[in-house]
Amino acid sequence: NPKRVWWKEASVYQIYPASFSDSNGDGIGDIPGIVNKLDYLKDLGVDVVWLCPVYESPQVDMGYDIADYRAIHAPYGTMENVEALIEGLHDRDMKFVMDLVVNHTSDQHVWFQESRSSPQSTKRDWYIWRKPVIDKEGNMHPPNNWASIFGGSAWTFDDISGEYYLHLFCPEQPDLNWENPHVVDEVHQVMRYWLNKGVDGFRMDVINLISKEPGLPNAPITIPEQDFQPADLFFANGPRLHEYLRGLREILDEYDAFAVGEMPFVADEQEVLRSVASHRKELNMIFQFDMVSMDNGKAGKFSPQDWTLDTLRSIVNRWQTCMYRHDGWNALFLENHDQSRSVSRFTPHKTAHRTAAATMLATFIGMQAGTLFIYQGQELGMSNLPASWPMNEYKDVETQNLYQLALAQDLEKNQLDALLNEIRLKARDHSRSPIQWDSERHGGFTTGTPWMRVNDDYTHHNAKQQLSDPGSVLAYWKRVLRARKKFRDTVIYGDFRLLDLEHDAVFSYQRTGCQGVITVVTNFTGKQLTWETLDRLPPSWRMQDVVLSNYPVQAALQPGKMLLRPFEALVFFEG
Ligand code: ISL
Ligand code: CA
């Protein structure tokens, strides 16, 4: 059985500061706004807060472009505010995780300014600079054909030296050169700076991109109609990754802190295990993207892809069993600031079934093994932005780049419509609209003008209303989080087994621990159906065996059969 440790049992709440709570009416969420809501978080039952970047930043990518690791972006507040936040959390027995972005910095960081100033700069080699490629006609090209994750070339030409620098994301996010030991040392010092302030862990942004294939070879041409090619083969999970990760872990262990690494572009279980299996002493857990990319098509995130419960079953089964067998650990999530809202994306619900659909998803994810991550607003069942909103309400650099590129290409109307549909389904903006606290103007998020429009449904869909409604999504999430604690031995540390392997509407699984067996039954459709319980439930199961249900519990139809209403979720416990 897995070893018991605090970070395995924790439920983590992710805060996107710009959109959480605005305390001073400037329209931007801030740290004092978070401090004001600590009792709300305690009452929800989460144990840890992960705060997205609040460092000084020009905000080209909402703070994932850090200009100073030891200063706070003024609109979010001050260093004293962060210290008060840490204290407020610790006073309530909660912990605090900072988001650390060290694959790249902002181009406004002094390190990059110095690096860029001249090829002779002592910091030149802190970033990845290369000479242009000159073809036979004398034309200049980037050093290789890598595409940036946000579109276009991954290289930007710099006039000062006539060289290019590498940026896997925006041109304003130059990649650090981890091959240089001074860079590694500097990152370690940044970590110590925050750990000494009382931070309990880090979420490490795109941490598997820090080691690149030496020589930076051209990527294979997989999308011939594009000038630049996806190159994750060469920039993700590079040869020195594990060495670097062990270096980070040594520091974390000194402080009993933990790290969850964000790892896009890993499909291979063995590679993931190298980073998270406990004896490796690297990361404690990672975010892998299998579930939240099962609806991404061949041409990437903004192309459509059908999925079925079989797709979902094989993903869940794979990671649940692999981690259990090899002493690794899962980070469970359905949403974050880069994903759209799960209730809109993964359930085909009608308005009347929205609460059922959101609570069904809470059950589905909440009874699995791993550390559970909840993204702000998920506990309220917040949904995607209304389809009627014009594109200028979308603020994200990724969405806007994509849309502008499409406009410039003069696409046929049906192609443009198809893209817009994908944006309405998957754009990062959907999870970035302000939290709907109450039914006042702008959902009580701000007394001023919000930096991003509040979802129109705040008038009837908000935290205040849900706090007083025992049938709300919020009330249900509290029960899920309590159940994870009460049945800890089974839910956190138990074994996992899929049930009903072929069912096209019901996702069902069982958890077995030393306390007993938990059976989870979730109807992923908006249709009522009869489910054959076969021998999975005790033949004469009783109402009191039900530990979670998102409808009033009803008796079995007849032995071996039960009725499941639209998006019904049921959890049974047998001691
Ligand atoms: O969101 C994505 C594309 O839609 C992902 O590919 C995402 O860019 C990737 O998971 C890395 O995300 C992280 O690093 C980015 C930042 O923009 C994201 O917000 C962050 O979570 C660059 O720092
Ligand atoms: Ca503010």
Short mmCIF file of all heavy atoms in Angstrom, two decimals, residues 16 66 88 112 155 176 197 199 241 243 314 356 374 399 406 413 460:
data_model
loop_
_atom_site.label_atom_id
_atom_site.label_comp_id
_atom_site.label_asym_id
_atom_site.label_seq_id
_atom_site.Cartn_x
_atom_site.Cartn_y
_atom_site.Cartn_z
N TYR A 16 -6.77 31.79 -9.48
CA TYR A 16 -6.29 32.61 -10.60
C TYR A 16 -6.50 34.05 -10.15
O TYR A 16 -7.62 34.57 -10.17
CB TYR A 16 -7.13 32.29 -11.83
CG TYR A 16 -6.48 32.72 -13.13
CD1 TYR A 16 -5.29 32.15 -13.56
CD2 TYR A 16 -7.08 33.69 -13.93
CE1 TYR A 16 -4.70 32.54 -14.75
CE2 TYR A 16 -6.50 34.06 -15.13
CZ TYR A 16 -5.31 33.49 -15.53
OH TYR A 16 -4.72 33.86 -16.71
N ILE A 66 7.60 36.11 -16.02
CA ILE A 66 8.02 36.73 -14.77
C ILE A 66 9.21 37.67 -15.00
O ILE A 66 10.22 37.29 -15.59
CB ILE A 66 8.38 35.65 -13.72
CG1 ILE A 66 7.14 34.79 -13.44
CG2 ILE A 66 8.92 36.28 -12.44
CD1 ILE A 66 7.39 33.61 -12.51
N GLY A 88 -2.45 33.83 7.12
CA GLY A 88 -3.90 33.55 7.22
C GLY A 88 -4.22 32.10 6.91
O GLY A 88 -5.08 31.48 7.54
N PHE A 112 17.43 38.72 -18.83
CA PHE A 112 17.32 38.73 -20.29
C PHE A 112 17.81 40.05 -20.87
O PHE A 112 18.46 40.08 -21.92
CB PHE A 112 15.89 38.44 -20.75
CG PHE A 112 15.81 38.26 -22.25
CD1 PHE A 112 16.34 37.13 -22.86
CD2 PHE A 112 15.24 39.25 -23.06
CE1 PHE A 112 16.30 36.97 -24.25
CE2 PHE A 112 15.18 39.09 -24.45
CZ PHE A 112 15.71 37.96 -25.04
N TRP A 155 11.45 31.06 -32.59
CA TRP A 155 12.65 31.90 -32.53
C TRP A 155 12.30 33.34 -32.89
O TRP A 155 11.52 33.58 -33.80
CB TRP A 155 13.69 31.41 -33.53
CG TRP A 155 14.21 30.04 -33.23
CD1 TRP A 155 13.70 28.86 -33.69
CD2 TRP A 155 15.34 29.69 -32.41
NE1 TRP A 155 14.44 27.81 -33.21
CE2 TRP A 155 15.46 28.29 -32.43
CE3 TRP A 155 16.27 30.45 -31.67
CZ2 TRP A 155 16.47 27.61 -31.73
CZ3 TRP A 155 17.26 29.77 -30.98
CH2 TRP A 155 17.36 28.36 -31.01
N LEU A 176 14.98 29.97 -20.63
CA LEU A 176 16.24 29.94 -19.89
C LEU A 176 17.08 28.77 -20.36
O LEU A 176 16.55 27.73 -20.77
CB LEU A 176 15.97 29.81 -18.39
CG LEU A 176 15.55 31.10 -17.67
CD1 LEU A 176 14.94 30.76 -16.31
CD2 LEU A 176 16.73 32.06 -17.51
N LYS A 197 10.02 31.96 3.27
CA LYS A 197 8.85 32.78 3.63
C LYS A 197 7.70 31.91 4.12
O LYS A 197 6.62 32.42 4.44
CB LYS A 197 8.38 33.58 2.42
CG LYS A 197 9.21 34.82 2.18
CD LYS A 197 8.42 35.83 1.36
CE LYS A 197 9.28 37.05 1.05
NZ LYS A 197 9.55 37.87 2.25
N VAL A 199 6.38 29.15 2.28
CA VAL A 199 5.66 28.45 1.23
C VAL A 199 5.81 26.94 1.42
O VAL A 199 6.87 26.46 1.78
CB VAL A 199 6.23 28.91 -0.14
CG1 VAL A 199 5.85 27.97 -1.24
CG2 VAL A 199 5.77 30.33 -0.44
N LEU A 241 16.67 16.16 -17.93
CA LEU A 241 15.51 16.49 -17.09
C LEU A 241 15.61 15.91 -15.68
O LEU A 241 15.43 16.62 -14.69
CB LEU A 241 14.22 16.00 -17.77
CG LEU A 241 12.96 16.19 -16.93
CD1 LEU A 241 12.67 17.66 -16.68
CD2 LEU A 241 11.75 15.53 -17.59
N GLU A 243 18.06 14.78 -13.88
CA GLU A 243 19.14 15.39 -13.08
C GLU A 243 18.65 16.72 -12.48
O GLU A 243 18.79 16.99 -11.29
CB GLU A 243 20.34 15.60 -14.01
CG GLU A 243 21.46 16.45 -13.47
CD GLU A 243 22.38 16.93 -14.62
OE1 GLU A 243 22.41 16.29 -15.70
OE2 GLU A 243 23.05 17.96 -14.42
N SER A 314 -10.15 4.09 -20.45
CA SER A 314 -8.78 3.61 -20.61
C SER A 314 -7.79 4.61 -20.03
O SER A 314 -6.78 4.22 -19.46
CB SER A 314 -8.49 3.27 -22.08
OG SER A 314 -8.33 4.44 -22.80
N ALA A 356 -26.80 18.61 -11.68
CA ALA A 356 -26.55 17.17 -11.66
C ALA A 356 -25.26 16.85 -12.42
O ALA A 356 -24.44 16.05 -11.97
CB ALA A 356 -27.74 16.42 -12.27
N ILE A 374 -8.85 21.37 -7.35
CA ILE A 374 -10.11 22.01 -7.77
C ILE A 374 -9.75 23.41 -8.24
O ILE A 374 -9.03 24.13 -7.55
CB ILE A 374 -11.08 22.13 -6.59
CG1 ILE A 374 -11.32 20.76 -5.96
CG2 ILE A 374 -12.39 22.76 -7.01
CD1 ILE A 374 -11.94 20.89 -4.60
N THR A 399 -5.75 32.55 -27.56
CA THR A 399 -6.98 32.65 -28.34
C THR A 399 -6.87 33.76 -29.38
O THR A 399 -7.21 33.57 -30.55
CB THR A 399 -8.18 32.97 -27.41
OG1 THR A 399 -8.09 32.16 -26.26
CG2 THR A 399 -9.49 32.73 -28.12
N ALA A 406 -6.19 33.22 -38.10
CA ALA A 406 -7.27 32.68 -38.94
C ALA A 406 -7.85 33.78 -39.81
O ALA A 406 -8.10 33.58 -41.00
CB ALA A 406 -8.35 32.06 -38.05
N LYS A 413 -15.99 30.47 -44.90
CA LYS A 413 -16.87 30.70 -43.76
C LYS A 413 -17.02 29.45 -42.88
O LYS A 413 -16.97 29.52 -41.66
CB LYS A 413 -18.24 31.18 -44.23
CG LYS A 413 -19.15 31.50 -43.05
CD LYS A 413 -20.39 32.25 -43.44
CE LYS A 413 -21.34 32.52 -42.27
NZ LYS A 413 -21.36 31.57 -41.18
N HIS A 460 -28.17 34.29 -11.34
CA HIS A 460 -28.78 33.15 -10.63
C HIS A 460 -27.79 32.06 -10.29
O HIS A 460 -28.11 31.12 -9.58
CB HIS A 460 -29.94 32.58 -11.45
CG HIS A 460 -29.53 32.20 -12.84
ND1 HIS A 460 -29.35 33.12 -13.85
CD2 HIS A 460 -29.22 31.00 -13.36
CE1 HIS A 460 -28.96 32.50 -14.95
NE2 HIS A 460 -28.86 31.21 -14.68
#
